[in-house]
Amino acid sequence: TPTSSTTPVLLGTACPPLTKQSEGPDGANLFIYHIPSELRDHDLSEMFNTFGTILSCKIFIDKATNQSKCFGFVSFDNPNSAQLAIQAMNGFKIGSKRLKVQLKKPRDAGKPF
């Protein structure tokens, strides 16, 4: 009989259900541009789960057309995983597109007040 120590742990194989976008600590949240329109949340998770534990991932969908907006977020549980993902995935080519992966800027960044 398998025990918990012999059962494989699959990190981030599916994005956690989102009631509200979960964010990791500062420096652990990525903004990803140029995501091919055919990819979905689970595809994004599979691409990034090798870098660490994913708290959440989301590709944004246009509510009017139900089509991908070709950008999204991945939040890790620590900044080191995010840095590894940036180094490996920024510029990664999928089809004719190259991903742009960078740290997510805080919501209030750049606001003068």
Side-chain angles (χ1 to χ4, degrees), residues 15 21 32-33 42 49 51 57 66 92 106:
C15 293
Q21 181 74 16
I32 300 141
Y33 302 89
H42 69 275
N49 69 9
F51 305 106
C57 63
N66 208 31
F92 185 81

Side-chain angles (χ1 to χ4, degrees), residues 27-28 30 48 51-53 76-87:
L30 301 179
F48 282 84
F51 305 106
T53 301
F76 289 100
D77 65 350
N78 69 81
N80 291 337
S81 294
Q83 287 301 319
L84 287 172
I86 290 170
Q87 290 169 15

Side-chain angles (χ1 to χ4, degrees), residues 2-91:
T3 65
S4 61
S5 63
T6 60
T7 303
V9 176
L10 302 175
L11 298 176
T13 54
C15 293
L18 292 178
T19 51
K20 178 180 180 286
Q21 181 74 16
S22 298
E23 288 197 1
D26 286 347
N29 304 293
L30 301 179
F31 191 38
I32 300 141
Y33 302 89
H34 311 305
I35 299 170
S37 60
E38 65 274 9
L39 295 187
R40 296 295 174 249
D41 293 352
H42 69 275
D43 301 309
L44 191 63
S45 179
E46 286 179 10
M47 289 171 52
F48 282 84
N49 69 9
T50 58
F51 305 106
T53 301
I54 294 175
L55 300 177
S56 66
C57 63
K58 182 71 178 160
I59 295 175
F60 282 76
I61 303 295
D62 185 308
K63 290 180 182 173
T65 65
N66 208 31
Q67 298 295 309
S68 171
K69 291 188 176 185
C70 300
F71 71 88
F73 296 97
V74 173
S75 294
F76 289 100
D77 65 350
N78 69 81
N80 291 337
S81 294
Q83 287 301 319
L84 287 172
I86 290 170
Q87 290 169 15
M89 298 302 288
N90 189 39

